[in-house]
Amino acid sequence: MHSLFHESMLNDQHILITGATGGIGYETAKVAVQAGAKVTITGRNEEKLKQLKAECGDPDRVFLYKADLTSNGDRGQLLSAATVHHGSITGLVNSAGIGGGDMVEILPEEDLRRIMELNYFSLVQLSQAVYHQMKIGKRGAIVNISSLSGLRGTHGNSAYSASKFAVTGFTQAFAHEAIEHHVRVNAICPGYVDTEMGRNAIQSKGEREGRSYEEQLKIAKGGIPSGRLTSPVQVANTIVFLLSDAAENIVGESVKISGGSVMR
C-alpha cells in the first residue's frame, strides 16, 4: 500500500497499538510503520500478530506481545516489555474492543459486564499506566477508538453504545488534564467500517429486522451520503495524523468518520 505520509513523520515515536489483530488496529500498525514509527502491537491471537509483523515491511520496528488487556498482570507485563524493547511510549492507540449485546429487556448481565470490561475499563486502566510515562517525557498522544454509537444511541445496541459513550466522555475529561502535561487525547468515532466487527453488526441488525446481510448492507449504504462503508485504512490514516505533530492543537475531539451520515 502506498503511504500517504512521509516516512519521517513519526520516526522518533514509539506507538503502542491494542487490538492490533482487528481491522482498524491491524491497518494502523502498518500505516504507523510506514510513517517511521516503532510500534508495539498487542492482542490475544499470537499467530495473527506474527502475520501483521511480517506485513509491516520493517520487522525491526515492530515488537509483538500477546496480552489480555482485562488482566492487570498482562497490562503491566506488556508495558514493561514494550518499554524495554522500544523505549518510552509516546503514542497509544486504544483499538481493542468488542461488539455485541442485545435488546435491553433480554440483555444478559454477563454480556454487559464483558463489553464494558474490555471496551471501557481496560482502556482507562491502560491509559493511566501509559500516561505516567508520557508525563515524565512531557509529550504524548492518545487516540481512543469510540464509535458513532458513542455519540448517538441505536436500536438494539445499548451495551455497546453505553461502552462507547463512556469512551467518548472519558476522552473529553482526560484531555483537559493531560494537555497540561503536553499529552493530547482524542477519539475516533467511525460509522460502519468494513471489518469483521462492522460486518457482524450489519448481519445482526439484519437478523433482528428479518433481512439478509445483503439487504441490510444495501440499507446501510443507502443511509450514507458517500454511499460506501469506511475502509480500515481510512480510519488508520486519521489515527496516524492525530498521533503526529501536525495535529498538535487538536485536543479532546471526537472525530467522526461516517461518509457524511452524521453532519453535526
Side-chain angles (χ1 to χ4, degrees):
M1 181 190 68
H2 177 68
S3 176
L4 295 178
F5 303 112
H6 192 276
E7 61 185 7
S8 65
M9 188 174 184
L10 300 179
N11 69 355
D12 60 345
Q13 293 212 41
H14 172 196
I15 311 299
L16 170 59
I17 302 169
T18 74
T21 56
I24 292 174
Y26 202 93
E27 294 300 329
T28 299
K30 292 194 287 186
V31 175
V33 170
Q34 290 167 359
K38 296 177 291 185
V39 301
T40 293
I41 54 175
T42 188
R44 300 183 188 185
N45 186 329
E46 189 169 8
E47 288 306 310
K48 199 162 185 181
L49 289 172
K50 290 178 180 178
Q51 177 183 329
L52 172 57
K53 180 173 180 175
E55 291 181 17
C56 279
D58 188 348
D60 291 338
R61 289 183 176 272
V62 183
F63 174 63
L64 71 85
Y65 193 94
K66 179 182 176 182
D68 176 0
L69 294 181
T70 65
S71 163
N72 289 332
D74 275 20
R75 286 195 304 271
Q77 291 165 16
L78 164 65
L79 293 184
S80 295
T83 303
V84 167
H85 195 87
H86 275 330
S88 295
I89 295 166
T90 60
L92 171 62
V93 181
N94 281 309
S95 185
I98 52 175
D102 214 320
M103 303 287 285
V104 170
E105 61 184 346
I106 58 173
L107 177 65
E109 179 180 344
E110 179 182 353
D111 286 358
L112 176 60
R113 291 187 180 278
R114 177 173 54 86
I115 291 168
M116 290 298 294
E117 186 67 35
L118 180 60
N119 290 6
Y120 179 64
F121 288 110
S122 66
L123 178 151
V124 172
Q125 291 169 315
L126 184 64
S127 297
Q128 287 175 314
V130 173
Y131 181 49
H132 287 305
Q133 286 191 19
M134 292 178 172
K135 281 181 68 176
I136 292 171
K138 296 183 178 180
R139 179 192 181 196
I142 297 173
V143 180
N144 298 321
I145 308 306
S146 183
S147 170
L148 289 188
S149 293
L151 300 173
R152 59 180 187 180
T154 53
H155 187 270
N157 204 26
S158 59
Y160 178 75
S161 186
S163 72
K164 293 302 187 178
F165 261 88
V167 169
T168 303
F170 170 70
T171 297
Q172 294 180 9
F174 186 20
H176 281 282
E177 303 174 21
I179 196 61
E180 297 175 4
H181 302 280
H182 309 285
V183 176
R184 293 181 295 104
V185 184
N186 290 287
I188 295 287
C189 296
Y192 282 123
V193 182
D194 192 11
T195 61
E196 182 179 357
M197 182 184 290
R199 292 186 290 272
N200 286 342
I202 293 170
Q203 177 77 36
S204 296
K205 187 171 180 60
E207 289 174 354
R208 288 196 300 269
E209 302 293 332
R211 303 187 185 101
S212 69
Y213 173 81
E214 290 72 20
E215 290 170 332
Q216 190 61 45
L217 176 61
K218 184 177 181 180
I219 291 171
K221 288 181 176 179
I224 303 172
S226 70
R228 57 192 174 92
L229 307 186
T230 301
S231 72
V233 73
Q234 289 167 343
V235 181
N237 286 335
T238 306
I239 292 168
V240 168
F241 167 70
L242 289 174
L243 291 170
S244 76
D245 291 340
E248 64 181 352
N249 204 34
I250 300 179
V251 178
E253 296 291 350
S254 301
V255 181
K256 298 186 291 294
I257 308 177
S258 69
S261 60
V262 179
M263 297 192 189
R264 55 183 173 83

